[in-house]
């Protein structure tokens, strides 16, 4: 004997000619029916047309009832899911946020063709898989990506953040969110600082707020100070990755190294000199603290005039380690000034003035001002 075909004609009559109360009642019943695990799959599939009809009912209350009743259904036919997703925001958004019946394929389908509000709803879900995240990172609009970045349940990889920065670099709502993330790769922060400084320079030059030379000096000072601040927060492992990157990008200049030196960031200085001079990092400190500093700096392409400043920096760092002093950036710079003025008998007034000029140029904050003031006093005393 053949199996009896499941009769859905009564459902069809109600969806076509039943009153509102009957259609609402049917929506509740069918929602329970398709979620009953004891109901055969064939019978659940048989009621799909009736449920799609209810999901497109002209009366909002009917559609709303069905959406609420199905929100917790673990599995649903694709026709039902996409019909509900296409409804007005008042109904669709709540459903899209709650339904567990969305797999990666369905989420991506909505991200491809859904209205922006529906795409944003997908991005706020707590169950986004890697496939969905990659799709949003590669193709999502700025608004959609912003929602993804706001989702605390989403773990983005470094490659994702780099791609988003490059792809949406002109969109403030994305860039601001990226810069707020602690895990943003430091090379991206360096690139952004460079890009920002260029914009500032062009703006200042166009508006005529400063003379061209003054504008360039101001922008370079701001840019390099930002670089030093970024590098200050880098771990040794990050520095080992950043130094070659900076060299390739033309960021690793002698002035950057001197700024880091004046700020007491000896880890960055040692790593930079190691890379530029092709000297193992473990040997740099011993060379710098002995007679090998001049040769080391020459191999690294540092200007000869920086030798005595670097000597003072190395000596201050060694003295601080011996005293177990934890010097702030500004205190370190001030200690360098003190050493230059009091520790080196071979330095004449002109030598000290030249070194103070370098510190005034490459120092940070209070250190710059003190170096300039001491230099003025030195000139007046002469």
């Amino acid at each position: 004997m053949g199996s009896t075909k499941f009769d859905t004609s009564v459902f069809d009559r109600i969806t076509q000619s039943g009153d509102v109360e009957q259609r609402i009642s049917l929506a509740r019943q069918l929602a329970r029916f398709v979620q009953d695990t004891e109901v055969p799959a064939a019978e659940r599939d048989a009621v799909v047309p009736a449920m799609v009809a209810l999901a497109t009912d002209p009366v909002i209350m009917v559609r709303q009832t069905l959406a609420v009743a199905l929100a917790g259904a673990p599995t649903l036919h694709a026709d039902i899911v996409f019909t509900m997703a296409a409804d007005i925001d008042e109904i669709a958004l709540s459903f899209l946020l709650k339904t567990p019946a969305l797999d990666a394929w369905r989420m991506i389908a909505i991200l491809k063709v859904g209205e922006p509000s529906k795409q944003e709803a997908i991005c706020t879900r707590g169950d986004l898989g890697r496939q969905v995240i990659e799709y949003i990172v590669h193709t999502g609009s700025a608004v959609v990506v912003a929602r993804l970045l706001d989702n605390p349940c989403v773990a983005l990889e470094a490659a994702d953040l780099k791609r988003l920065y490059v792809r949406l670099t002109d969109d403030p709502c994305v860039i601001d969110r990226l810069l707020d993330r602690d895990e943003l790769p430091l090379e991206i922060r360096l690139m952004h600082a460079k890009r920002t400084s260029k914009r500032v320079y062009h703006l200042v030059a166009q508006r005529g707020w400063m003379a061209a030379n003054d504008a360039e000096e101001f922008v370079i000072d701001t840019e390099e100070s930002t670089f030093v601040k970024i590098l200050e927060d880098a771990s040794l492992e990050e520095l080992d990755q950043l130094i070659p990157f900076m060299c390739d990008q033309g960021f690793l200049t002698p002035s950057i190294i001197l700024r880091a030196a004046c700020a007491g960031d000896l880890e960055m200085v040692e790593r930079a000199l190691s890379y530029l001079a092709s000297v193992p990092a473990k040997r740099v400190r011993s060379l710098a603290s002995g007679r090998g500093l001049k040769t080391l700096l020459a191999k690294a392409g540092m200007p000869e005039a920086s030798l005595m400043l670097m000597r003072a920096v190395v000596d201050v760092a060694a003295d601080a380690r011996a005293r177990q002093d934890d010097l702030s950036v500004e205190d370190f710079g001030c200690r360098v000034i003190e050493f230059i003025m009091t520790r080196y008998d071979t330095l004449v007034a002109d030598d000290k003035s030249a070194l103070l000029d370098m510190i005034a140029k490459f120092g940070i904050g209070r250190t710059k001002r003190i170096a300039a003031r001491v230099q003025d006093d030195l000139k007046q005393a002469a």
Side-chain angles (χ1 to χ4, degrees), residues 186 230-244 265-272 274 281-282 285:
L186 295 183
I230 293 170
L231 293 168
E232 189 180 288
D233 297 329
S235 66
L236 290 178
E237 293 76 15
E238 288 173 324
L239 282 175
D240 286 338
Q241 295 176 352
L242 284 172
I243 296 300
D265 189 357
L266 270 293
E267 289 181 343
M268 183 273 171
V269 172
E270 289 170 358
R271 283 308 200 265
S274 169
K282 293 181 179 180
R285 182 169 294 185

Side-chain angles (χ1 to χ4, degrees), residues 41-52:
E43 294 184 7
R44 291 199 297 270
D45 289 343
V47 302
V48 169
M51 298 189 73
V52 170

Side-chain angles (χ1 to χ4, degrees), residues 74-356:
T75 59
L76 286 173
H77 193 281
D79 290 352
I80 298 173
V81 171
F82 291 131
T83 302
M84 314 236 4
D87 209 334
I88 60 175
D89 285 357
E90 181 183 350
I91 295 173
L93 297 187
S94 178
F95 175 78
L96 290 173
L97 288 171
K98 296 176 182 178
T99 178
L102 288 179
D103 57 18
W105 177 81
R106 292 177 178 181
M107 290 184 193
I108 291 175
I110 294 170
L111 289 168
K112 284 182 178 179
V113 301
E115 297 170 338
S117 59
K118 315 294 176 58
Q119 297 178 35
E120 290 182 57
I122 295 296
C123 290
T124 61
R125 290 175 60 95
D127 60 348
L128 300 183
R130 186 64 205 162
Q131 186 178 358
V132 177
I133 292 171
E134 287 182 353
Y135 181 83
I136 297 170
V137 168
H138 283 73
T139 66
S141 68
V143 174
V144 168
V145 167
R147 296 288 80 77
L148 181 74
L149 292 170
D150 290 340
N151 189 336
C153 299
V154 172
L156 293 173
E157 299 175 359
D160 298 329
L161 300 176
K162 291 178 183 178
R163 181 176 289 275
L164 289 175
Y165 181 84
V166 173
R167 189 168 72 82
L168 299 170
T169 191
D170 291 320
D171 197 287
C173 76
V174 171
I175 297 303
D176 289 346
R177 285 171 168 81
L178 288 174
L179 294 174
D180 284 340
R181 299 180 78 96
D182 293 337
E183 70 271 29
L184 183 69
L186 295 183
E187 60 262 37
I188 296 299
R189 295 193 184 279
L190 292 172
M191 288 174 61
H192 187 71
K194 185 70 174 180
R195 189 166 179 270
T196 301
S197 67
K198 287 183 178 179
R199 285 183 170 180
V200 171
Y201 175 75
H202 289 308
L203 180 63
V204 170
Q206 288 174 357
R207 301 291 174 86
W209 291 336
M210 292 182 182
N213 290 340
D214 292 339
E216 184 176 6
E217 184 177 343
F218 167 77
V219 169
I220 290 174
D221 183 71
T222 303
E223 174 190 301
E224 292 189 346
S225 297
T226 303
F227 278 11
V228 170
K229 179 62 179 173
I230 293 170
L231 293 168
E232 189 180 288
D233 297 329
S235 66
L236 290 178
E237 293 76 15
E238 288 173 324
L239 282 175
D240 286 338
Q241 295 176 352
L242 284 172
I243 296 300
F245 169 80
M246 292 180 68
C247 195
D248 290 342
Q249 297 293 320
F251 295 168
L252 192 59
T253 60
S255 59
I256 287 290
I257 295 173
L258 289 173
R259 286 181 191 275
C262 289
D265 189 357
L266 270 293
E267 289 181 343
M268 183 273 171
V269 172
E270 289 170 358
R271 283 308 200 265
L273 294 178
S274 169
Y275 183 82
L276 293 172
S278 299
V279 173
K282 293 181 179 180
R283 289 196 58 212
V284 168
R285 182 169 294 185
S286 62
L287 288 172
S289 59
R291 295 183 177 181
L293 180 59
K294 182 176 182 180
T295 301
L296 177 66
L297 295 178
K299 285 185 177 181
M302 295 293 291
E304 187 176 346
S306 67
L307 172 61
M308 204 58 219
L309 176 57
M310 293 297 289
R311 168 59 62 204
V313 167
V314 170
D315 289 347
V316 168
D319 182 70
R321 285 195 297 270
R323 295 170 178 268
Q324 296 185 332
D325 287 344
D326 185 14
L327 299 177
S328 69
V329 169
E330 292 185 343
D331 286 343
F332 186 93
C334 291
R335 189 75 64 85
V336 172
I337 295 173
E338 177 191 336
F339 270 48
I340 287 172
M341 297 303 296
T342 63
R343 295 292 183 99
Y344 306 110
D345 295 335
T346 58
L347 293 179
V348 299
D350 287 346
D351 296 330
K352 294 178 179 179
S353 180
L355 291 169
L356 290 169

